[in-house]
Amino acid sequence: MNVTLNTDNRRISSMRAIHFATAQDKNTAVNHTSNRDQVTISQEGRDRLEVLADKAENQLSAMTKEDFMDMLKQWKSENQPKLEVDPYRKVDPDGSIARETYFESYLGQLKDTEDTIKSYYADAYKEAVSAPIDSLTFISAKYLCDWSDYYDPNIPKEERQWTHHQLWSMLTDFNVALNDPYALASSGGTKTVDEMDRIAKQAVKDKLDSLVKECETSIVN
């Protein structure tokens, strides 16, 4: 069956014939259209529409119904939105494993940082605890008071301030500062929030990839 266009009318009219409006709807629309709603098409615009009409007419007049349906199917296939498939849905349908792994990794990084800092100041902490005077008084005398007999001038000023702050936190059971550049220098320096987030997300991916691999292996076996 061949599909053809009505070529008895003007080319612009044949293009309008594809609108599925009844004559009554069309008359009603015309009666309710004000001057400001009218659209004037320039000569250049009309020429372009005529060229498009010619192309459409030539293509459809030489096309069978089957060809047209095949073309339509191809267009739908090429333009249909592609849905992303979650590869981890089978092993973690509610996302609980991902959340748990993320927080374990993030909190684990904080714990490792804290342990590294406390280990760095372990000797200074023992010295303060065993000092002949009060521990807090001792660290103030050694790291802050340049007039004290306990003062150590060989430590740079900023490092002395960091040492005092961290030891004071350790002696009073407060949390140490986790952005200590001196204590963390040997372990790669301080981590930013973005870096810790990236590491935690990678831990989630590694965990879920491992579960997917285990699932695929069990199916094969």
Side-chain angles (χ1 to χ4, degrees):
M1 175 182 178
N2 292 327
V3 179
T4 59
L5 293 177
N6 181 5
T7 58
D8 294 337
N9 299 326
R10 294 173 58 83
R11 282 176 291 187
I12 296 302
S13 297
S14 65
M15 290 290 288
R16 289 178 181 173
I18 64 174
H19 294 287
F20 299 99
T22 65
Q24 182 179 359
D25 293 336
K26 183 176 180 180
N27 293 334
T28 301
V30 171
N31 292 334
H32 288 82
T33 300
S34 62
N35 292 333
R36 63 180 182 180
D37 291 331
Q38 295 178 354
V39 178
T40 301
I41 303 177
S42 65
Q43 183 60 47
E44 181 181 358
R46 288 195 296 271
D47 291 341
R48 290 182 179 178
L49 288 175
E50 290 180 357
V51 171
L52 291 175
D54 286 338
K55 290 182 178 180
E57 179 179 344
N58 292 334
Q59 289 177 352
L60 292 178
S61 62
M63 185 180 296
T64 65
K65 178 181 179 181
E66 289 74 17
D67 292 336
F68 179 78
M69 295 304 296
D70 289 341
M71 182 182 70
L72 181 61
K73 290 179 181 178
Q74 181 180 357
W75 182 89
K76 290 176 64 178
S77 175
E78 293 175 350
N79 292 275
Q80 187 171 1
K82 296 178 175 58
L83 300 178
E84 294 186 4
V85 179
D86 184 358
Y88 304 124
R89 182 175 296 277
K90 289 185 178 180
V91 295
D92 187 23
D94 60 355
S96 59
I97 297 177
R99 289 191 298 271
E100 181 180 356
T101 304
Y102 179 89
F103 286 113
E104 283 182 353
S105 174
Y106 202 99
L107 294 177
Q109 293 179 71
L110 296 178
K111 185 65 168 60
D112 289 344
T113 300
E114 181 184 42
D115 291 343
T116 299
I117 292 173
K118 288 184 176 180
S119 176
Y120 179 83
Y121 291 109
D123 291 340
Y125 176 82
K126 292 178 181 178
E127 180 186 32
V129 171
S130 59
I133 59 177
D134 175 73
S135 298
L136 296 179
T137 302
F138 173 78
I139 63 174
S140 295
K142 181 174 182 178
Y143 301 107
L144 299 181
C145 304
D146 56 2
W147 45 262
S148 170
D149 294 337
Y150 296 104
Y151 182 74
D152 187 352
N154 297 318
I155 304 175
K157 179 180 179 180
E158 186 175 355
E159 186 175 356
R160 280 190 283 107
Q161 292 174 341
W162 268 105
T163 303
H164 177 267
H165 175 81
Q166 301 291 52
L167 289 176
W168 185 89
S169 297
M170 293 168 66
L171 289 168
T172 56
D173 292 328
F174 275 79
N175 295 326
V176 295
L178 300 181
N179 59 335
D180 187 332
Y182 298 98
L184 300 174
S186 61
S187 60
T190 59
K191 294 179 182 177
T192 64
V193 172
D194 289 340
E195 289 173 332
M196 297 176 70
D197 175 71
R198 177 180 55 79
I199 293 172
K201 287 179 178 177
Q202 184 61 46
V204 172
K205 184 178 185 305
D206 293 342
K207 175 67 174 180
L208 296 180
D209 284 342
S210 176
L211 292 176
V212 170
K213 186 175 181 180
E214 291 178 7
C215 182
E216 291 175 348
T217 301
S218 63
I219 292 176
V220 172
N221 296 334

